[in-house]
Amino acid sequence: IPALATERQFAQHLREHLEEEQLLDGRYRLQEVPGGRVALPVLEEKLDQLRLPLKIPCGLIRIKDPVPSRAARRRTPAQKLQDELRQLLGESWSEELERDVPRAWQRHGDLVLLSEDSFRASLWEKLGPALWETVAWALGARRLARRGRVLPDGMRSPSVTLLLGQDSWVEHVDNGIRYTFDVTKCMFSPGNITEKLRVASLPCSGEVLVDLYAGIGYFTLPYLVHAAAAFAHACEWNGHAVEALRRNLVLNGVQDRCHVHHGDSRQLELRDVADRVNLGLIPSSEEGWPVACRVLKKSTGGVLHIHHNVETLPAQTPVLPAKQGSQDREVQHPMEDRGKEILGARIRPEWQRWAEATATQIRGLLTELHGQPWRTSILHIEAVKSYAPHVHHLVLDLECRPALP
């Protein structure tokens, strides 16, 4: 079987990544391989979807005699599902149908969300309700839904069909935070968990946050619940997401410390209020930069967290060492305490150029807005995940302060 081999200190982070991307082969256990490394099994049919975490050194190997996992010694949900469907179909069962049976799915409470490539063959549709009742029983769910492609409506609305059940509202617990949302109208991205954990650890006590693209509260809630922000202004234009956001604020007991602004954040009338601004929109949050500059406190400034998808050249391009810039382009790469490599040692030239260009543009916007010089300092560049070959979701932590006379 194929497996990814890495040093033991990185094994847990790699395992979490593979589980989030639904690439881990649960039939086999992690096992030691020569060189003091640990091998994690991956699904062979999904190797073309493999996007390795940039901060974790690992390599693809083949294991001839893999050790079965404990779960494999008993019937897994996926095996149980296949067995039940095979019994339901009898002689109609085929290899083509077997390929359409999912091996992984998302679970939100008693609802299971299937992937868009599940049950594509026409025969499945002929089974009617019996199919979905069998699937739900095998997976221990009461409700079923199937994901489709994200709609190109500017709001990243999901295309999800409810297959079994009447109510499409679900609840999901993530890092001690409760999220509720309508699975047919709002997206929940488990791939952003590393950034949500990082946000939760930021020192925001006493600060005012402006979240320009709040959604259902992906980042607003970690700032309020764990990072101890004093108050948040959450901006969102999708009415379905706003409804979920309001419910989530109440669920987590922070509704008195947040004001929801329903509408286009580019028309936001707030000024001079924020110590910190979150710009969590991809592929680019550039349209929100002028607003972010306006809401920063003009006397003291603050920190912008700027999300962006950056294209990286193929891997043979050498990486740059951590580089110190001028006073206005200070580059710092703080030590990470989560068992990861120091990002500064793996900074990519394209990331550095994008960060410096962004810092220069933000500095110009602030200087023009206030009629006096400002300085911008690059505090950190965080790689969240890869979206496609050589395209990476980055977050730039940019400190912005009025220049002393």
Side-chain angles (χ1 to χ4, degrees):
I1 66 163
L4 292 175
T6 187
E7 297 175 31
R8 181 171 292 278
Q9 61 178 318
F10 299 109
Q12 183 58 33
H13 296 289
L14 182 56
R15 181 175 185 168
E16 291 172 357
H17 169 80
L18 294 175
E19 288 177 341
E20 288 175 4
E21 300 298 322
Q22 300 180 354
L23 300 175
L24 194 67
D25 192 336
R27 296 172 298 174
Y28 305 103
R29 60 176 292 185
L30 279 63
Q31 60 190 89
E32 294 186 357
V33 293
R37 297 180 298 166
V38 176
L40 296 90
V42 294
L43 294 167
E44 184 152 13
E45 65 270 26
K46 291 194 174 184
L47 283 177
D48 60 338
Q49 302 176 26
L50 190 61
R51 304 286 181 264
L52 299 181
L54 297 170
K55 304 175 197 174
I56 301 179
C58 55
L60 186 65
I61 63 172
R62 293 274 175 177
I63 298 180
K64 293 183 179 180
D65 299 307
V67 180
S69 65
R70 290 181 180 178
R73 295 170 191 159
R74 56 186 182 271
R75 206 164 54 145
T76 66
Q79 291 170 333
K80 184 178 180 180
L81 175 58
Q82 285 209 8
D83 291 345
E84 295 299 326
L85 292 174
R86 188 181 289 111
Q87 182 176 349
L88 178 67
L89 287 169
E91 295 181 357
S92 298
W93 183 256
S94 66
E95 290 185 3
E96 179 187 1
L97 293 174
E98 185 172 352
R99 286 194 295 269
D100 276 351
V101 178
R103 290 190 179 183
W105 44 83
Q106 289 183 22
R107 186 180 296 273
H108 302 294
D110 67 353
L111 183 144
V112 164
L113 180 61
L114 303 170
S115 60
E116 62 181 292
D117 58 355
S118 303
F119 303 110
R120 293 171 299 180
S122 59
L123 178 57
W124 295 122
E125 300 300 331
K126 296 179 182 178
L127 295 175
L131 168 63
W132 307 128
E133 290 169 0
T134 300
V135 173
W137 182 85
L139 300 183
R142 293 186 176 183
R143 296 178 291 164
L144 282 180
R146 183 168 52 191
R147 194 170 52 229
R149 295 186 179 276
V150 176
L151 299 177
D153 59 358
M155 297 186 185
R156 289 186 57 79
S157 300
S159 174
V160 173
T161 303
L162 194 62
L163 304 171
L164 183 67
Q166 302 298 322
D167 183 10
S168 53
W169 279 85
V170 299
E171 184 170 317
H172 188 99
V173 179
D174 193 3
N175 191 26
I177 297 174
R178 296 170 65 190
Y179 297 89
T180 185
F181 58 98
D182 185 334
V183 74
T184 66
K185 297 189 172 73
C186 300
M187 292 186 62
F188 188 90
S189 176
N192 289 336
I193 181 62
T194 56
E195 179 61 10
K196 284 185 279 188
L197 289 172
R198 190 177 77 94
V199 162
S201 68
L202 292 174
C204 302
S205 180
E207 293 186 349
V208 174
L209 165 78
V210 173
D211 190 349
L212 289 180
Y213 310 101
I216 68 172
Y218 303 110
F219 298 113
T220 305
L221 289 167
Y223 273 113
L224 290 170
V225 175
H226 293 309
F231 196 84
H233 293 274
C235 310
E236 176 57 43
W237 67 355
N238 185 326
H240 301 298
V242 167
E243 182 182 0
L245 172 60
R246 294 188 191 277
R247 293 191 187 193
N248 291 330
L249 292 168
V250 174
L251 269 179
N252 293 278
V254 293
Q255 66 273 22
D256 294 336
R257 292 162 48 210
C258 183
H259 181 79
V260 178
H261 300 263
H262 183 188
D264 190 336
S265 61
R266 291 170 296 188
Q267 309 301 322
L268 187 65
E269 296 183 357
L270 285 177
R271 288 177 178 267
D272 188 24
V273 297
D275 300 289
R276 196 176 293 266
V277 183
N278 196 72
L279 297 108
L281 181 66
I282 52 174
S284 174
S285 61
E286 189 167 354
E287 287 191 355
W289 295 358
V291 182
C293 291
R294 289 199 302 271
V295 299
L296 275 180
K297 290 181 178 177
K298 63 181 180 183
S299 60
T300 57
V303 177
L304 307 182
H305 300 282
I306 303 172
H307 292 237
H308 198 83
N309 280 358
V310 177
E311 186 172 359
T312 306
L313 295 177
Q316 62 263 27
T317 302
V319 297
L320 293 175
K323 181 173 80 172
Q324 295 298 324
S326 65
Q327 181 179 0
D328 284 345
R329 295 180 182 173
E330 180 184 356
V331 181
Q332 302 174 16
H333 301 287
M335 293 285 290
E336 300 288 343
D337 60 359
R338 293 171 286 174
K340 298 182 180 179
E341 292 183 75
I342 303 173
L343 182 57
R346 295 176 59 82
I347 202 80
R348 307 275 181 179
E350 295 85 357
W351 301 2
Q352 185 71 45
R353 285 194 290 269
W354 167 73
E356 292 183 352
T358 300
T360 299
Q361 190 169 342
I362 294 292
R363 187 168 62 251
L365 288 171
L366 287 164
T367 298
E368 181 179 358
L369 176 66
H370 297 292
Q372 67 179 63
W374 279 60
R375 61 181 179 85
T376 52
S377 302
I378 299 172
L379 299 179
H380 182 70
I381 303 171
E382 178 76 8
V384 179
K385 62 183 177 182
S386 59
Y387 262 91
H390 316 306
V391 178
H392 299 98
H393 175 184
L394 304 182
V395 181
L396 168 63
D397 296 349
L398 186 68
E399 185 178 32
C400 307
R401 305 292 181 191
L404 296 174

